[in-house]
Each structure stands twice: as structure tokens, then as C-alpha cells.
Amino acid sequence: MVLMKKSILSKLLILFSIVGIIPLVAIAIYSYNKSREALFINVRYDIEGDAKDIASSISHLFNKARSDILLLTVNPAFKRYFLEPEKKSFWLKELEKAFLYLSKIFPDSFDEGCYIISDGREICRVIFDKLAHPTELSIDETRNAFFAPTFTIPEGEVYQGPPYISTDTNRWVIPNSTPIVLPDGRKAAIAHMELNIAYLKSIMKNILQEEVEEGFVMDKDGNIIVATWLDIKGEELFPKAVDIENSESYRGVIERMRNENSGFERILYAGEKYLIVFNPIPVSNRYNENRWSVAVMIPEKNVYGTMTSVRQILLVILGGGIVVILAIFFGNGVVKPLRNLAEISAELAKGDLTKRAYITGEDEIGQLAMAFNEMASSLEKDRQKIVKELEVSNILLKVLGFLILRKWPANIWCWPTPVTTISSGFNSLFNSCITNFG
């Protein structure tokens, strides 16, 4: 009953709210869920691409180191140092130039390059881009982890061993070594180059969105080789990727990485929900002992950081406001002509037949206003006709009365005759019409 008493505009507002706002809320909820799903897919695609790019960049670094050191040893100085002992000093200068050139090929990752003969003595060494003084050269490199394995591989191959701390630079480095084989088949020396691990971190930072993404590289033993959030100093050991405080989901991912698997998972890390992508770094060199995997993580809260429920509520409120404004605008278009009709009807009821409704258009309301005006015009014409007829009747009655009074006695008027009755009735009818129709 309360609804029935409301104005048409109120009813239209309620109708527009039901028809407009409720579907708007439903669409907003649907859009919000779809947007979350789309964001999730896009973020997954992005971090999968970043993980592949990091793996590809590190793999490319290994391959470039291998090919460049092999290209370096094509220089005749590496063999003629032994084959032409009378020109050792000349060929030594050529060896030094060769390693200085190698340092320029790897300006950001080169730490050290040296030429070591089979008894373990260094013949020359370049650290960064500086040539070492002869007094600084080592007399025994046989205890280094790369030394013995390099002499076991065939000519034209490169041994790329696991990282270790360089005694010359005090940094974590990756060894790259190839044997120098003389024409008689004797392995007389090795050409050795060290690339620093810190360069891998710069590779990751150049690929990742550092403000939202994190990444790390892990070896097959579960040690973190490099991570965006870690600065591993030369005297420090590589930290383990897991400890007893880590969640089961994270531990499961680490185990799969150690087995060189790829995947995408939701994990709990450091008390927060993360999305993580992991895959092994491809290795094409059979003598590369670095079987690593790369992982890229992003906090799940960062995935939907730009989408909040408050934002969706504001959008719904904004949309609802637009619906209400439209309802008022279009409602007034309907209500105003009807209100005008109601006001004109009230004036007609009071006897003012000159009022006319405002015609707003050719729609149903406009047609109603036209019909209403035609009705008012018809009523006005009928009233004018009746008034004229009554005026004529009144004149005729007065004339008739005058003639009767002239012929009959003076007191004839008081007789209850049909003539006096008719005259009285017409006078009453005339006066009533004049009163009602103005």
C-alpha cells in the first residue's frame, strides 16, 4: 500500500533502480571475477616468460664463454710457446695480449684469465683488465678444483665447473678451462677464465620487475647460487634454499627443482602466498657440471594489487549514481507532462475550459495531451452553445411573460398555471447553467 501511494517519479526511480542497479552490481561482480582471472593468466604468462628469459640468458653466457675461450686458443701463441722455446718471451707477450682481449669481450663478467702449464705454474694472468706482475703468478694451481678435470677432457672441449671462491679476487666465480694439446698429443697446458657469479644477479634484475618480482638460481644440491634479495660475499657459503621453517609447498617446489623439473605452483613463503614458476637452465656442454634451475616468484597480493573490492564498490556507486540521474532525467520526461495534465484537469473541474495541456511530442503522452485538449475544446464549444440557447430561451420567456401580463389580470402571476410553472423552471435552469459554466 505504501508503494501505491508514492508518486509516479518515485515509482520510476524504484523501477530504474531494480532494472538498472541490480544488473549493474551483477555485471560488476562478474567483471571483477573475470578481471582477476585475466590478471592471473597475464601474470602467470609474464613470470613464465621471465623465468625462461633468465634461463636462456645464463645458458647463453655459458655457451659464449665456451665458444670464446675455444676461439682464443686458436691463437698460435698457445702452442708455439712450447714448440718454439727460443721465442718464449715473444709468445708470452702474445699470450698476455690474448687474455687482455678476452677481458674486453666480457667487460662485466670477466674476473680472471690465465695460462697454466701442466706442472701447475702460471705463465701469465690477467685480473679484470690488468696484467699481473710475474712475481704475483702462482707456482702451483694443481689444487684448484678445475685443474685436474680440465686435463681429462679432449681437445676442443671446455670444462665448466661448479662455482668457487677465487683466491685472487675473493669473489664467487665460474671456471671455464680448455686443454692445450700439442701435435704429439701431449696436454701441455690449460687456458683458464673465470666469470663472476655477481653478473648473474644483474642478468636477473634486468629481466625482472624488481618492485614486484623475486628470483633465484639454485644448484642440484639445493644451494642458492644467486638471488635478487641476497648479496653473497666472497667469504660466505651459498645458503640452502630450504630450512626447517619453510612450508611444505615451498619444500616441494625446491625438490622438483633439484630434479630439474619445470612447473607453476602456489606456495606459502615467509608467511605470504606466492606464485612461483621454475624451470631448469638448459645446458648444451657435456662438460658443464652446473645443473641449475631458475625460479621467479611474485607475492599473490601484488597480482591483484590494482584491483580492490573498494574500487569495485566505488564503480558500482558511480554506476548507480548515473542510473539515478538517468532515471530522474527520463522520469521527469514522463512525469512532467502527466503532472501538467493533472493540473489542467483540476482547472477544468473548476469550470475553466480555456486551459490546454502542453504537448511534449508524438508519443503516447503527447497523444494523450492532444486528446485531452480536443475534449476540453469540445466541452468549451458545448458550453458556449448551451449558454447561447439559454439566453435565447430566457428572452423568449420574458417576451411570453410580458404578453401574458398584458392580456390577463394583474394578479395572474400568482395563479399556479402551467405557464408560470414553465417560466419558473426555465429561470432556475438558466441561473444554474450560468453558475456552473461561468
Side-chain angles (χ1 to χ4, degrees):
M1 293 299 294
V2 174
L3 182 62
M4 296 301 293
K5 294 180 181 179
K6 292 183 180 292
S7 67
I8 293 177
L9 181 59
S10 299
K11 293 176 183 178
L12 285 175
L13 286 174
I14 294 171
L15 179 61
F16 268 86
S17 298
I18 294 172
V19 174
I21 296 179
I22 292 177
L24 182 66
V25 171
I27 291 171
I29 294 172
Y30 177 79
S31 175
Y32 177 73
N33 292 331
K34 281 295 181 181
S35 298
R36 283 178 62 92
E37 183 181 343
L39 272 177
F40 178 83
I41 293 172
N42 288 337
V43 168
R44 176 175 178 173
Y45 178 81
D46 287 343
I47 62 177
E48 284 178 342
D50 290 344
K52 288 179 181 178
D53 288 345
I54 293 171
S56 177
S57 297
I58 295 175
S59 178
H60 174 73
L61 180 65
F62 278 126
N63 293 336
K64 181 173 173 57
R66 179 182 181 276
S67 61
D68 286 351
I69 198 169
L70 288 176
L71 184 62
L72 182 77
T73 58
V74 173
N75 188 324
F78 283 87
K79 292 184 179 181
R80 291 191 178 184
Y81 176 84
F82 297 100
L83 298 177
E84 300 176 5
E86 69 280 3
K87 295 184 178 180
K88 273 190 176 183
S89 60
F90 172 78
W91 295 119
L92 179 59
K93 294 293 183 183
E94 293 299 313
L95 289 171
E96 291 172 348
K97 290 179 183 179
F99 280 104
L100 284 170
Y101 175 74
L102 188 63
S103 69
K104 291 179 174 60
I105 297 177
F106 298 89
D108 300 316
S109 57
F110 182 90
D111 262 28
E112 178 184 340
C114 59
Y115 193 56
I116 306 170
I117 61 177
S118 58
D119 63 5
R121 286 180 296 136
E122 276 185 327
I123 301 303
C124 69
R125 183 204 306 158
V126 172
I127 297 178
F128 304 127
D129 58 350
K130 304 296 182 183
L131 188 65
H133 192 272
T135 59
E136 298 173 339
L137 299 176
S138 172
I139 60 173
D140 186 11
E141 291 285 321
T142 58
R143 289 170 294 182
N144 281 325
F146 64 84
F147 187 84
T150 305
F151 279 102
T152 64
I153 64 176
E155 185 179 19
E157 297 292 347
V158 176
Y159 174 74
Q160 296 174 309
Y164 63 87
I165 299 174
S166 170
T167 56
D168 298 311
T169 62
N170 197 36
R171 300 205 299 183
W172 282 95
V173 295
I174 305 168
N176 300 265
S177 306
T178 187
I180 305 301
V181 182
L182 300 180
D184 60 4
R186 181 167 54 94
K187 294 176 180 177
I190 60 175
H192 175 71
M193 176 179 66
E194 295 174 351
L195 301 178
N196 67 74
I197 289 290
Y199 179 68
L200 303 182
K201 186 173 183 178
S202 67
I203 290 176
M204 298 179 69
K205 286 191 172 183
N206 287 336
I207 294 173
L208 299 179
Q209 301 178 47
E210 194 172 355
E211 64 276 8
V212 294
E213 291 179 304
E214 299 174 3
F216 65 91
V217 175
M218 189 191 77
D219 65 17
K220 61 183 178 181
D221 296 322
N223 300 312
I224 293 181
I225 303 298
V226 62
T228 53
W229 65 87
L230 287 177
D231 288 317
I232 303 173
K233 297 179 181 179
E235 67 274 9
E236 297 176 348
L237 298 178
F238 289 137
K240 290 292 183 181
V242 295
D243 56 42
I244 57 174
E245 296 181 358
N246 292 127
S247 66
E248 288 297 323
S249 57
Y250 177 72
R251 287 171 174 270
V253 167
I254 296 302
E255 188 61 30
R256 292 178 63 187
M257 291 177 67
R258 292 183 62 183
N259 293 328
E260 300 185 46
N261 294 327
S262 301
F264 171 84
E265 297 288 345
R266 276 189 171 99
I267 62 169
L268 188 65
Y269 178 77
E272 288 190 40
K273 294 180 179 179
Y274 276 78
L275 303 179
I276 185 169
V277 170
F278 52 94
N279 51 260
I281 296 173
V283 174
S284 58
N285 179 15
R286 59 185 293 195
Y287 298 106
N288 187 345
E289 294 188 358
N290 298 291
R291 297 295 187 267
W292 297 346
S293 289
V294 61
V296 174
M297 305 189 304
I298 182 172
E300 198 164 340
K301 64 182 181 182
N302 290 345
V303 175
Y304 310 112
T306 58
M307 286 191 62
T308 62
S309 56
V310 174
R311 182 182 179 188
Q312 295 300 312
I313 291 171
L314 290 176
L315 288 175
V316 171
I317 292 174
L318 177 62
I322 293 173
V323 169
V324 170
I325 292 171
L326 291 175
I328 293 173
F329 177 77
F330 289 108
N332 279 330
V334 175
V335 172
K336 190 174 180 181
L338 293 177
R339 186 180 292 128
N340 178 253
L341 282 173
E343 292 172 354
I344 298 301
S345 299
E347 294 294 328
L348 290 178
K350 294 177 182 178
D352 187 358
L353 299 180
T354 62
K355 299 292 185 179
R356 296 294 182 270
Y358 178 69
I359 300 174
T360 58
E362 298 181 357
D363 57 5
E364 287 82 355
I365 295 178
Q367 294 173 8
L368 176 62
M370 292 176 63
F372 187 89
N373 289 343
E374 290 175 0
M375 180 192 72
S377 297
S378 178
L379 288 174
E380 187 177 18
K381 290 178 181 178
D382 290 344
R383 185 192 70 171
Q384 291 173 353
K385 182 178 179 181
I386 292 172
V387 168
K388 289 180 180 179
E389 290 176 351
L390 289 175
E391 288 176 348
V392 171
S393 299
N394 189 45
I395 292 171
L396 292 174
L397 287 173
K398 287 182 178 180
V399 170
L400 179 63
F402 175 77
L403 293 175
I404 292 173
L405 289 174
R406 290 282 300 226
K407 186 174 182 180
W408 298 94
N411 62 346
I412 194 68
W413 59 269
C414 61
W415 295 358
T417 64
V419 173
T420 57
T421 303
I422 293 171
S423 177
S424 176
F426 271 109
N427 282 328
S428 298
L429 176 62
F430 179 78
N431 292 330
S432 175
C433 289
I434 294 299
T435 301
N436 290 332
F437 291 98

